[in-house]
Amino acid sequence: MKTGLFASVLGVVLISVSATPSTAKAAPGGADLILTDARVYTLRWGEPARDGKPAPDAPTTNGKWHPDAAAVAIRGGKIVYVGSDKGALALRGKRTRVIDLNGATVIPGLVDSHTHFVELGAKLESVDLTDVATEAQAVALVAERAKSVPKGEWIFGAGWDEGAWANRYPDKQQLSAAVPDHPVVLRSLHGFAIWTNQAALDAGKITKASPVPVGGEMRLAPDGQPGGLFLNRAATMIEAAVPPEPQAVVARHALKGLGQMATDGFVAVHEAGVGAQAMAALQQLEDQNRLPIRVYALLSLRDPPLMRQWIARGPDRDSDSMLVTRAVKAYYDGALGSRGARLLADYADKPGHRGISGDGYGFDRDLAKAAMKAGFQLGIHAIGDAGNREVLDFLEAEFKADPGTAQGRHRIEHAQVVSPEDQPRFARLGVIASMEPPHAVEDKTWAQDRLGPQRILGAYAWRTLRRDGARLTFNADNPGSDHSIFYGLHAAITRQDKQLQPAGGWYPEQRLTIEETIRAYTNWSAYAAFREDQTGIIAKGRWADLTVMDIDPFALAGSAPEKILAGRILATIVSGKVVYQR
C-alpha cells in the first residue's frame, strides 16, 4: 500500500511510502530506507573552477544541469547505494521502508554554518518585530502582547532593523507610555542594539551614572537619563539586567529552534557563541538523545570561565556525535548598520567616526590565543575593512609564532567589508570566509551610504573571494535573517531581494553559480566543521544526511531563478532517520 505524504505548490509532487514503519530494522543485508524516483544531485563530481565553471565531470549537458542519480539506499545511518531505482530496490528487505519521491530533488543535507538557534527558539515565543517599519507599529505589537502577560513579567521582542532604523532610532518614551507595568526588552535584527522601556531600566537599576562598556553607546534622553536605546556592546548592560532563564526554558528554546531548522531542511547547524547555560542545556539534550539535528558548537569567548574549562579539557575530537564542541566564537568589531564596524577610513555618512574593534570591543587576545593553542578553531566576527584586516593580522602573527595553529581552519564570520589588499590573504592564510547571502540583499538600501561608492566594491564580495581562492561557507546568522534555503540560494545567484530588486542584481558581478551556492551550504560547510570525509556529498559510506525539496534549483537557476523562492522542503533526513516530513 502507498500513502501520499506531500503535495507541491509548483505542480504535483507526491511522495509515497511503502513497506514498514520507519522504526523497523532492515532484514540482514537489506536497507533500512530507500528513496526512489528522485532527482539526486550528489556533488561527488569535481569542484567548480574559481570563476564558477563546472568541473569536466559535472552532470551538465550544453550548459544545463541534470541529476546524476535517481535513488539512494540507507542502512545503519549511512548511505549504502547511490544510483538507479533498480539498483537501490535490489537492497530491499522485508522491513525496508521505501519512499517514492515522484521526481522530488535530493541534495546533500543542508548546513547553516552560523546560527543562533536558541535565540531563534526564544524569538518564536517573543513579539516578532521582523519587517516592522515604524516605532509606533512596534509599540502597538508590544502593547497588545502586554494585555495577556501578568503585570510585572518581562516581555521580549526581536527583529527591528538597527541598520534601516539607524537615522531614526527609537527611545523609551512611546514604549514606556504604552507598556508601563512590564519590563520590555526588544532586541534588534542582528543583535547590535536593544530598545527598552523605563520599567526595564528600573529593573536593571540603570541610570546615567551606570558604566557603559567600551565599544558601546547608551543613548541619553534630554533630561540626561538613559533614553532606552543601547548600541553595540552597551547591549550587554540590558542583557545583564534580565533575570536568567531556567535551564529547562533554555532547553525548550533550543529544541524549538532546532525543530524549526529541521523543518526548513537543515541537517546540521553551527551555533555561534554558546555560553555556559546554553552549553549545559545542549549537553543535557544530547544525553537524553533529544537533539533532532547535528549541532556544531562554537563556545563564546565572552564567557571566560567556560572557556578556561574547555581549554583545560581540549576540543571534542569526534565528528559524529550529535553535539560536537571544537570551535570558539569571538567578536572583534560591531555591525555596519549601527556604525559599530571598524573601518579604515571614516564612515561616509558620519565623518570623524570609524567604529571600534579589538581590545576596545572586548576581544580577549590572550584567551583567543590559548584556545588556538589548545586546538580550537576560532570563528571571529569581523565586519569592517579595518576589523577584517586586524583579524587577519592577528591570525597571521599567531600562525608565525606557533605554526601548528595554522591548521585550525579558522574562520572570519561575516567577512563583510574587505579591502582589495586583504582579499587574497584569506586564501593565503587558509582562513574560511563564513558569509550570509541574505545580508547583502537586506543591507543594500543603506550599505553604500555607510561606505561610499568605492569601498562598497569590497563588501559582500563572494565572487572576489572565490576568485582569489578563499574557502567559503554560507549561512543566515539567524534569527537576524530569514534562514530559508530558497531565499539564500536566490540571493546568492541573483543578488536580488524577495521582491526581485534591483533589476539585474545589486553589484551582480559578485554573484555565485547555483552549484557554488549549494556547495557553500553543504560540502563546503562540512569542511568548515572538519567533516568533509563524513558528509557533504551523497556517496556510499557517507552519513545519510539528506534534504528533499519540491523544486530543482539547479534547473531553475538557469531558466527561472525567481521560482526558487517558492520552493518547499519535503523531508529532512539525519543519520537515515526522517526527522521532518511535510
Side-chain angles (χ1 to χ4, degrees):
M1 183 182 74
K2 291 189 176 183
T3 305
L5 293 180
F6 312 124
S8 169
V9 294
L10 298 182
V12 177
V13 178
L14 298 177
I15 297 184
S16 302
V17 178
S18 63
T20 59
S22 59
T23 55
K25 293 184 179 180
D32 300 321
L33 175 66
I34 296 175
L35 309 178
T36 64
D37 192 15
R39 298 178 63 82
V40 182
Y41 290 91
T42 67
L43 300 188
R44 58 184 177 179
W45 57 86
E47 290 272 324
R50 294 180 181 182
D51 63 359
K53 183 180 179 181
D57 61 336
T60 61
T61 302
N62 297 323
K64 294 184 178 181
W65 289 92
H66 55 80
D68 60 324
V72 180
I74 297 164
R75 182 171 60 235
K78 292 188 176 181
I79 296 167
V80 293
Y81 176 83
V82 184
S84 68
D85 286 346
K86 182 179 180 180
L89 290 171
L91 297 175
R92 183 175 186 169
K94 292 181 179 180
R95 296 184 177 275
T96 302
R97 181 186 185 190
V98 178
I99 302 180
D100 183 343
L101 292 178
N102 285 302
T105 297
V106 179
I107 63 172
L110 297 169
V111 179
D112 190 303
S113 58
H114 185 123
T115 69
H116 304 282
F117 66 76
V118 179
E119 289 182 31
L120 175 64
K123 183 181 179 182
L124 293 172
E125 296 182 358
S126 302
V127 181
D128 187 1
L129 303 178
T130 308
D131 297 327
V132 170
T134 68
E135 178 180 353
Q137 291 173 341
V139 169
L141 289 172
V142 177
E144 184 62 29
R145 173 65 63 88
K147 294 177 182 178
S148 60
V149 177
K151 184 176 179 179
E153 286 193 12
W154 290 71
I155 295 175
F156 299 96
W160 63 276
D161 192 334
E162 69 266 52
W165 290 27
N167 296 324
R168 49 183 175 87
Y169 277 141
D171 60 27
K172 67 183 179 182
Q173 298 303 323
Q174 288 188 44
L175 191 58
S176 299
V179 190
D181 299 325
H182 303 79
V184 177
V185 175
L186 305 178
R187 293 182 173 87
S188 65
L189 187 64
H190 299 294
F192 290 91
I194 288 181
W195 168 25
T196 70
N197 65 350
Q198 186 61 47
L201 298 173
D202 293 341
K205 299 180 180 179
I206 296 173
T207 70
K208 63 181 179 181
S210 297
V212 179
V214 175
E217 178 186 357
M218 177 175 69
R219 290 281 176 96
L220 299 178
D223 62 1
Q225 293 296 328
L229 185 73
F230 298 79
L231 296 172
N232 296 306
R233 287 205 74 217
T236 60
M237 299 171 67
I238 294 297
E239 291 168 350
V242 175
E245 292 178 325
Q247 185 169 311
V249 173
V250 177
R252 186 183 77 224
H253 289 162
L255 281 177
K256 185 165 286 191
L258 288 171
Q260 186 62 56
M261 298 304 291
T263 298
D264 296 327
F266 293 91
V267 303
V269 291
H270 300 182
E271 180 72 346
V274 183
Q277 188 181 38
M279 197 70 223
L282 292 177
Q283 187 62 60
Q284 179 185 30
L285 291 172
E286 186 193 33
D287 292 343
Q288 297 170 346
N289 295 316
R290 296 176 66 195
L291 293 174
I293 64 176
R294 302 182 194 273
V295 177
Y296 182 79
L298 286 75
L299 300 165
S300 175
L301 195 74
R302 288 180 170 178
D303 191 334
L306 178 70
M307 285 301 311
R308 284 190 282 270
Q309 291 174 18
W310 274 90
I311 287 170
R313 170 181 169 174
D316 289 342
R317 293 300 180 183
D318 72 310
S319 289
D320 54 1
S321 297
M322 291 301 287
L323 173 63
V324 171
T325 307
R326 65 177 301 171
V328 174
K329 163 70 182 303
Y331 284 94
Y332 195 82
D333 66 352
L336 188 66
S338 56
R339 301 186 182 90
R342 181 67 170 172
L343 300 183
L344 292 168
D346 294 355
Y347 275 78
D349 57 358
K350 192 175 182 180
H353 179 70
R354 296 189 179 187
I356 196 161
S357 63
D359 297 339
Y361 204 71
F363 179 70
D364 190 327
R365 294 172 182 270
D366 291 337
L367 199 57
K369 290 178 181 180
M372 293 173 69
K373 291 179 184 297
F376 285 92
Q377 175 191 50
L378 288 188
I380 306 177
H381 163 115
I383 297 286
D385 50 8
N388 276 281
R389 175 172 294 179
E390 291 166 16
V391 169
L392 290 167
D393 289 346
F394 166 78
L395 292 172
E396 185 168 21
E398 190 58 26
F399 296 168
K400 289 180 179 177
D402 185 353
T405 61
Q407 307 306 311
R409 299 188 187 180
H410 304 292
R411 304 156 44 157
I412 291 184
E413 307 300 314
H414 313 305
Q416 197 162 301
V417 187
V418 183
S419 69
E421 308 95 283
D422 294 317
Q423 288 162 346
R425 298 177 70 192
F426 280 80
R428 179 164 58 83
L429 295 174
V431 175
I432 299 168
S434 172
M435 305 179 78
E436 300 79 20
H439 283 185
V441 300
E442 291 165 358
D443 296 355
K444 69 183 186 306
T445 57
W446 49 260
Q448 187 159 324
D449 293 340
R450 303 286 189 278
L451 299 171
Q454 190 60 41
R455 277 184 301 191
I456 195 67
L457 300 178
Y460 318 92
W462 315 319
R463 172 56 65 205
T464 299
L465 288 169
R466 270 281 292 149
R467 189 176 291 115
D468 287 338
R471 290 185 177 272
L472 302 183
T473 176
F474 275 173
N475 53 76
D477 189 17
N478 71 14
S481 292
D482 180 356
H483 59 262
S484 162
I485 185 59
F486 306 109
Y487 177 37
L489 294 177
H490 182 266
I493 68 173
T494 68
R495 303 278 290 200
Q496 292 179 320
D497 60 23
K498 294 177 182 179
Q499 289 71 46
L500 310 184
Q501 296 299 316
W506 188 61
Y507 294 97
E509 64 275 10
Q510 294 297 341
R511 292 178 297 199
L512 295 188
T513 67
I514 188 62
E515 180 195 2
E516 291 172 308
T517 306
I518 288 177
R519 286 185 181 275
Y521 281 106
T522 55
N523 71 310
W524 293 352
S525 289
Y527 177 87
F530 303 89
R531 288 170 163 169
E532 70 274 16
D533 293 332
Q534 289 84 34
T535 189
I537 66 173
I538 302 175
K540 184 177 180 179
R542 299 294 183 113
W543 292 344
D545 290 2
L546 306 168
T547 301
V548 184
M549 57 184 64
D550 69 349
I551 63 167
D552 183 337
F554 282 91
L556 289 178
S559 59
E562 71 281 358
K563 291 184 178 179
I564 292 175
L565 288 168
R568 297 193 302 180
I569 297 298
L570 299 182
T572 306
I573 299 171
V574 178
S575 195
K577 299 177 182 177
V578 180
V579 298
Y580 167 76
Q581 59 185 35
R582 188 174 179 85

